[in-house]
Amino acid sequence: LVTILLYVDDLVITKVDLEEIGRNKSQLVASFEMDLGDLQYFLGIEVIRTPKGILINQQPYVLNMLFKFGMKD
């Protein structure tokens, strides 16, 4: 089972088998113009890989909202 999450121009591919993900990426790149690097952001959520696992962080989004509404202080 390969899971593909797609929203407008954000894309995430998940699967336990990394080789299978690589094959899926190759097929997508052959059919569509895209850059499929490692996941760093998805829908404004920052994805950080650490030795202990994966962290998700919305700090950039929150800071942007604070600036937008004049509440940065």
Side-chain angles (χ1 to χ4, degrees):
L1 176 67
V2 174
T3 303
I4 298 175
L5 306 170
L6 176 64
Y7 183 79
V8 184
D9 64 348
D10 283 345
L11 174 77
V12 176
I13 302 172
T14 64
K15 172 129 177 99
V16 175
D17 183 354
L18 292 178
E19 289 180 15
E20 183 67 24
I21 288 176
R23 286 190 289 274
N24 283 242
K25 282 182 170 183
S26 297
Q27 291 173 344
L28 288 168
V29 168
S31 300
F32 305 99
E33 184 177 329
M34 59 178 57
D35 176 23
L36 293 175
D38 287 340
L39 179 62
Q40 295 176 348
Y41 287 92
F42 184 69
L43 300 178
I45 299 171
E46 182 180 21
V47 179
I48 304 165
R49 288 186 176 86
T50 72
K52 293 185 177 183
I54 296 175
L55 301 174
I56 58 172
N57 178 16
Q58 284 192 292
Q59 182 178 1
Y61 174 78
V62 171
L63 290 174
N64 185 41
M65 289 292 106
L66 292 172
F67 277 104
K68 181 177 179 178
F69 293 104
M71 300 175 68
K72 64 181 180 179
D73 296 326

